[in-house]
Amino acid sequence: MTSPDPTARQMDLLLPDTRPMREELEAGAMLLRAFAKPCDAEYLQALEHVARQAPFRHMHTPGGGTMSAAMTSCGTLGWVSSLQGYTYTTLDPASQQAWPTIPPSLLSLAQAAAQTAGYAHFIPNACLLNRYQNGSHMGLHQDRDEHDTTQPIVSLSLGRSGIFLWGGPDRRSKVRTLMLEHGDVLVWGGPARLHYHGIKGLGPHAHPLTGWTRFNITFRHVVAPPTPAPQT
Ligand code: MD3
Ligand code: FE
């Protein structure tokens, strides 16, 4: 074997990025790199439109803490964390008004991504918006409040990069890290739907459209959990 030619290595730095645009990370998990970039400004405008009606807030956790990522929601159901636990609600607790509707541009994007990953009839009714700033993170967790794991979760990353933690079916599975960049879309379904995941922190660079802030938008199909029978 010959040793690597330093000139060839130098040349590599000039070659175009050949990472595939559509990569199956594992069975059921598809990364669509830069999928959302062509309309990125439109998605950020839609996010701002939602946040004007339902502002980002730092929610409390059942353990008595406060989430370092700020959150809001749109869609029929919004995800809420409080001392009482995690749930989906039809009203924004901050305003007692219905959550804003999912902006059409975001809905189309989520459906196009799901379709590309093999889910032809994805109908999200819950859309969680996360905002990360310096010091924000999200510990390893599963998304299991949706009561329907036949539907995928579609995630859209915008702005500053995030250091994604990507684990397996139980908390002790090996965890990999992956940089999620502006415009990246992930579709998690099938056997990967309940896998542990989180955000360790943010990348070192500001983004031209969002500065030092990272946004992530997840689209979900939630089945309302059974509620107690009303008193007669
Ligand atoms: C893997 N959000 O909101 S998105 C969340 O970047 C959440 O804000 C992170 O985890 C964020 O619940 C990660 C990527 C993601 C979303 C949902 C998943 C990965 C997933 C569901 C199952 C497995
Ligand atoms: Fe999650």
Side-chain angles (χ1 to χ4, degrees):
M1 277 296 276
T2 56
S3 60
D5 171 2
T7 310
R9 283 184 66 244
Q10 203 97 56
M11 296 273 298
D12 281 346
L13 299 173
L14 302 172
L15 293 173
D17 186 351
T18 54
R19 293 177 305 176
M21 297 295 286
R22 186 171 178 281
E23 184 185 355
E24 180 155 75
L25 297 177
E26 64 177 276
M30 188 79 82
L31 170 58
L32 306 173
R33 279 202 179 86
F35 189 84
K37 251 189 183 170
C39 299
D40 53 1
E42 192 178 354
Y43 304 137
L44 283 165
Q45 274 187 22
L47 177 151
E48 282 166 17
H49 180 73
V50 168
R52 277 194 295 273
Q53 301 164 77
F56 282 98
R57 78 291 305 261
H58 293 273
M59 294 192 279
H60 296 288
T61 60
T66 301
M67 302 193 78
S68 62
M71 297 177 175
T72 187
S73 283
C74 57
T76 308
L77 293 166
W79 188 81
V80 170
S81 175
S82 75
L83 279 169
Q84 281 72 48
Y86 307 128
T87 190
Y88 283 93
T89 65
T90 56
L91 301 183
D92 176 353
S95 66
Q96 292 297 325
Q97 302 294 300
W99 295 103
T101 56
I102 302 178
S105 60
L106 290 176
L107 184 60
S108 300
L109 172 85
Q111 293 186 320
Q115 183 127 43
T116 301
Y119 296 91
H121 301 289
F122 178 52
I123 306 183
N125 59 356
C127 174
L128 175 63
L129 295 81
N130 298 332
R131 185 187 68 195
Y132 296 83
Q133 287 166 322
N134 288 339
S136 299
H137 66 103
M138 187 178 288
L140 268 192
H141 66 278
Q142 295 173 292
D143 291 12
R144 56 178 183 198
D145 302 322
E146 292 71 31
H147 303 277
D148 177 5
T149 54
T150 68
Q151 293 278 309
I153 290 183
V154 173
S155 126
L156 162 63
S157 290
L158 291 170
R160 187 176 177 184
S161 297
I163 306 165
F164 179 61
L165 299 174
W166 162 32
D170 62 89
R171 193 175 280 287
R172 295 153 32 158
S173 324
K174 170 193 57 157
V175 176
R176 283 172 277 191
T177 63
L178 179 73
M179 218 56 179
L180 291 184
E181 287 165 23
H182 175 75
D184 288 352
V185 176
L186 279 155
V187 182
W188 297 88
R193 172 64 183 76
L194 286 175
H195 282 189
Y196 279 85
H197 58 279
I199 292 289
K200 195 201 309 215
L202 301 177
H205 307 295
H207 189 276
L209 293 179
T210 69
W212 296 100
T213 300
R214 170 177 187 262
F215 294 103
N216 180 266
I217 307 179
T218 47
F219 302 87
R220 301 135 187 268
H221 183 262
V222 176
V223 176
T227 55
Q231 298 294 125
T232 53

